[in-house]
């Protein structure tokens, strides 16, 4: 089974502190969200897992808010063995899964097809 791990901060959620008057200092990364939806269409039995070094509850809040169709969430990073077919979207991946990681900015370059 394929798994897609999506990091929260600066990957799923883009933080913007440039305007202190804003009540919400973030914007959803719609490119990542759209990619996750399309990925799920092609990997019906695959799992999407939202994770964050901010913790289990933090990842769960963002999963519910921005990726309610995701299958699960984790805190403190994916602490499981990497399996064949795993893929990560992360702006700053840990060294042990860097070779399986797509930076979220790379998704902007994909054709809309």
């Amino acid at each position: 089974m394929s798994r897609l791990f999506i990091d929260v901060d600066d990957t799923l959620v883009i933080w913007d502190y440039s305007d202190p008057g804003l009540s919400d200092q973030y914007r959803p990364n719609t490119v990542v969200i759209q990619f996750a939806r399309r990925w799920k269409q092609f990997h019906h039995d695959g799992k999407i897992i939202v994770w964050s070094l901010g913790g289990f509850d933090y990842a769960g809040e963002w999963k519910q808010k921005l990726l309610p169709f995701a299958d699960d969430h984790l805190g403190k990073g994916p602490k499981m063995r990497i399996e064949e077919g795993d893929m990560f979207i992360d702006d700053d991946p840990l060294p042990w899964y860097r070779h399986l990681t797509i930076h979220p900015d790379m998704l902007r370059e994909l054709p809309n097809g």
Side-chain angles (χ1 to χ4, degrees):
M1 170 189 346
S2 298
R3 299 181 300 180
L4 174 62
F5 293 88
I6 302 175
D7 173 48
V8 174
D9 291 321
D10 297 318
T11 300
L12 180 60
V13 176
I14 305 299
W15 294 99
D16 181 5
Y17 300 106
S18 63
D19 184 352
L22 292 175
S23 60
D24 290 327
Q25 299 290 317
Y26 73 91
R27 64 180 168 79
N29 191 337
T30 56
V31 173
V32 170
I33 294 167
Q34 290 171 355
F35 179 84
R37 274 200 180 97
R38 291 176 70 188
W39 184 91
K40 190 67 170 176
Q41 288 175 344
F42 288 100
H43 299 274
H44 302 290
D45 62 339
K47 290 191 180 272
I48 296 176
I49 302 165
V50 178
W51 75 277
S52 177
L53 291 174
F56 182 82
D57 293 336
Y58 182 73
E61 289 174 26
W62 287 109
K63 173 200 169 296
Q64 198 58 31
K65 190 173 205 168
L66 299 179
L67 285 179
F69 58 90
D71 300 284
D72 205 352
H73 62 280
L74 297 168
K76 302 295 181 195
K79 298 204 186 279
M80 61 188 70
R81 190 174 60 175
I82 294 173
E83 298 176 6
E84 184 176 341
D86 284 354
M87 189 167 92
F88 298 80
I89 302 176
D90 197 335
D91 69 302
D92 188 21
L94 297 171
W96 55 273
Y97 65 86
R98 186 175 308 273
H99 65 289
L100 301 170
T101 303
I102 296 173
H103 191 282
D105 289 346
M106 291 173 63
L107 298 175
R108 295 182 197 295
E109 299 171 13
L110 294 176
N112 292 330

